[in-house]
Amino acid sequence: MTTPAAPASRRIPEEVHRRRWAILGVLMLALLIVVLDNSILNVAIKTISTPGPTGLGASQSELEWAINSYTLVFAGLLFTAGLLGDRLGRKKVLLGGLLVFGLGSALAAFSGSPGELIAYRAVMGLGAAFVMPATLAVLMHVFERDEQPKAIGLWAGGVGLAIAIGPITGGLLLDHFWWGSVFLVNVPIVALAVVLMLWLVPDSRDPRPGRLDPIGVLLSVVGLVLLVYGIIKGGQLADFTDPAVLATCGAGLAVLVVFVVFEKRSDHPSIDIGHFRNKVFSAAVSAIALVFFALMGVTFFSVFYLQSVLGHTPLETGLLMLPLAVAQLIFAPRARLLVDRFGYRATTSVGMGLVALMLAAFATLDTGTPLWLLEVYFFLMGTGMAHIMTPTSVVIMQALPREKAGSASALSNTFRQVGGALGIAVLGSVLSTAYRDGIEGDLGVVPAALRHTAGESIEATLGVAAGLGPRGEALVGPANDAFLHAMHITAVWGAGVAVIGVVVLALFLPGRVPADGSREPGAEPAGAVE
C-alpha cells in the first residue's frame, strides 16, 4: 500500500474497501427495482389499456401519464433528493426511498381506475427519486478513482439487466396473474434490498452540504408538468395549434425559464447552473437526455407493434425485446476498453450514430418483416446505447468533487428522466397524431359518438371494432396500416433526435485521456473545484 494512490485510498476505510464489490451488488439490486418497474410496465401497457376486468381501459394519453407521472416526480425531486442524501446521509435516504417505492408499488397493484394508477405511480416516482442518485453517490464513496469507471460500467450494466429481465418477468406475470402483479412483484425485492443494505452498505454525507431549495424544486416540477401535459394534450387532440395546447406548453417553458434565472441568482441552488459552462459536462448530460428520449419513445411504440399489429403475447414481446437489454448488459461494463483505445468522442459518437441508424431502420418495419431482423435492430440499438451511457456517466461523475457525488448523480439521472419523459410525450404525441390522421377516413362504420375515442390509438380502434361485431372487422386492416405509418414517422423523428446527439458528442466530448490520468474527462468544469 505504498503506491502513489495510497493517500487517496485512506479516505475509504479498509473494511469498506474489502466489501466494495458486495456493496456494488446491493446498490445494483436497488437500481434494478427502479428500472425494472418501467421495463415491466412497457410490456403491460397494452393489457392496462384493455377494458375491465382484464385491464383498466386506459386511453393512450392516460397510459402516457401512467408512465410520466412517475418520471416527472422522479425528475423534479432528484435535485432535492441528491442534496438530502449529501446532508442526511446517502444510506438513510436510500432506505427511505426504497420503503416509499415499495408502498407505492403495493398501492398501484390494486388501483381501481387509470386515475388511481397515475397517482400511485407518482408515489413510486417519489421513492425512486431518492434511490437512484444515492446508489451512484455511494458507489463513488466506496471505489477509488481508478476503479470508478469499471464500477460505473457494471452499474450501467445493471440497467441493462433490469431492462432484460423486466419484459420477461412482466410477460410471465401477465400470463398467469392480473395486471397488478407487475407492480406487486416489486415489494419482495424491496424487502430483500433493505435487509442487505442495512447489513452491508456504509453511510456517507457531504461535510459541507448545500441548503435545500424548495422554490427551485417547485418551479422545476411545475414547469415540466405543464410542458409535458401540453405536448400529450396536443397528441390527444391531434392539433398542436389548439389554444389550450399552446398556452400550456408556453406556460411550462416560461416557468422553466424562471427556474433557470432563479437558480442562477440563488446562493443555494438545487442545480448549480455554473456546471453547464463546461462544454464537456453539458454535452455528456445532453447526450444522456437525447438517448433516453429516443429509447423511451421507441419502447412505447414497439410494444404496440409487437402485440397489437403482430399479435404476440406479453411474454413473447418481452422475449423479443431481450436483445436490446442483453447488448447493454454485455457491452456497458466493457465500454471503457474502447474509451481507453479510441477516446470518449469517438466511442460515444459512433454509439449514438448506431442508435440513430437503428431508429431509422424501424421506419422500414411492416407486418411481413422477419423477426430475426427485428432482433438484430434491437441488439445493435442496445450496443450503441451501452457505448454512450457508461462513458458519459464517467464524465459526469468525475467532473465534480467526490463530496458532491449526490449532486452529480442527481444531475445525470434528472437529464435521463427528463429526456425519457419528453421522449414519451413528444414521440407518443407524434404517434397519436399520425395515427389519427391515418385512420380518420376509415371510421365511417363507427357511431359518431365513438369516433374520437376510436381514433386515439390502435388499441382504442380495435376495442371499438370488437364491440361492433362483424361490421368492425373491416377496421382491423386499416388500423394496422395507420399504426405502421405512424410508427414510421415516429421512428424518423427519433432518428433525427439521435443525429443531434451525434453532433453534440462529436463537437464537445474529449478524445483520448492520457494514460497517466493527467487530464480527467470534464476536469475543467466551472464550479467543479471548491
Side-chain angles (χ1 to χ4, degrees), residues 194-401:
V194 167
V195 171
L196 292 175
M197 204 161 292
L198 288 169
W199 177 34
L200 286 171
V201 176
D203 206 356
S204 62
R205 67 184 73 198
D206 185 348
R208 292 178 296 167
R211 284 192 288 158
L212 300 182
D213 178 27
I215 296 177
V217 171
L218 181 64
L219 288 171
S220 66
V221 172
V222 170
L224 284 170
V225 169
L226 286 173
L227 177 60
V228 171
Y229 177 81
I231 294 170
I232 292 175
K233 191 66 176 176
Q236 185 181 7
L237 298 174
D239 183 8
F240 285 91
T241 63
D242 183 90
V245 172
L246 292 175
T248 307
C249 290
L253 289 171
V255 172
L256 290 175
V257 169
V258 172
F259 165 71
V260 171
V261 172
F262 179 82
E263 295 298 282
K264 288 181 70 174
R265 295 180 178 179
S266 174
D267 59 356
H268 58 285
S270 56
I271 174 172
D272 188 346
I273 304 299
H275 295 326
F276 293 93
R277 288 198 291 268
N278 174 9
K279 294 177 181 178
V280 172
F281 183 85
S282 296
V285 294
S286 298
I288 285 178
L290 290 170
V291 76
F292 266 80
F293 181 102
L295 173 71
M296 294 302 288
V298 167
T299 304
F300 190 78
F301 70 64
S302 294
V303 170
F304 288 100
Y305 169 66
L306 290 169
Q307 294 187 36
S308 299
V309 176
L310 299 186
H312 293 289
T313 66
L315 177 57
E316 289 168 345
T317 299
L319 291 170
L320 288 169
M321 296 180 72
L322 190 60
L324 175 69
V326 169
Q328 293 181 63
L329 185 61
I330 293 172
F331 293 110
R334 295 170 174 79
R336 62 189 175 86
L337 302 177
L338 286 182
V339 170
D340 291 343
R341 181 166 184 177
F342 300 107
Y344 287 90
R345 182 186 303 120
T347 302
T348 56
S349 297
V350 171
M352 188 70 86
L354 188 57
V355 170
L357 186 61
M358 290 306 101
L359 284 167
F362 272 90
T364 67
L365 299 178
D366 56 32
T367 53
T369 301
L371 287 180
W372 69 263
L373 187 59
L374 179 63
E375 300 299 88
V376 170
Y377 292 166
F378 276 136
F379 186 83
L380 291 177
M381 180 176 287
T383 302
M385 286 188 62
H387 290 93
I388 302 165
M389 298 307 300
T390 301
T392 52
S393 295
V394 171
V395 167
I396 292 166
M397 294 306 296
Q398 293 192 342
L400 301 181

Side-chain angles (χ1 to χ4, degrees), residues 466-507:
L468 296 176
R471 196 158 51 103
E473 291 178 5
L475 278 177
V476 175
N480 287 341
D481 292 341
F483 179 83
L484 288 171
H485 175 67
M487 184 179 78
H488 295 163
I489 293 174
T490 308
V492 171
W493 273 64
V497 170
V499 168
I500 294 172
V502 174
V503 174
V504 169
L505 292 168
L507 288 178

Side-chain angles (χ1 to χ4, degrees), residues 395-444:
V395 167
I396 292 166
M397 294 306 296
Q398 293 192 342
L400 301 181
R402 184 194 296 252
E403 292 75 17
K404 301 298 180 184
S407 299
S409 178
L411 277 171
S412 172
N413 286 294
T414 296
F415 272 74
R416 184 197 310 256
Q417 296 302 320
V418 170
L422 290 176
I424 292 169
V426 173
L427 296 183
S429 295
V430 170
L431 183 72
S432 181
T433 301
Y435 179 78
R436 186 180 291 278
D437 290 343
I439 196 65
E440 213 155 25
D442 297 288
L443 295 178

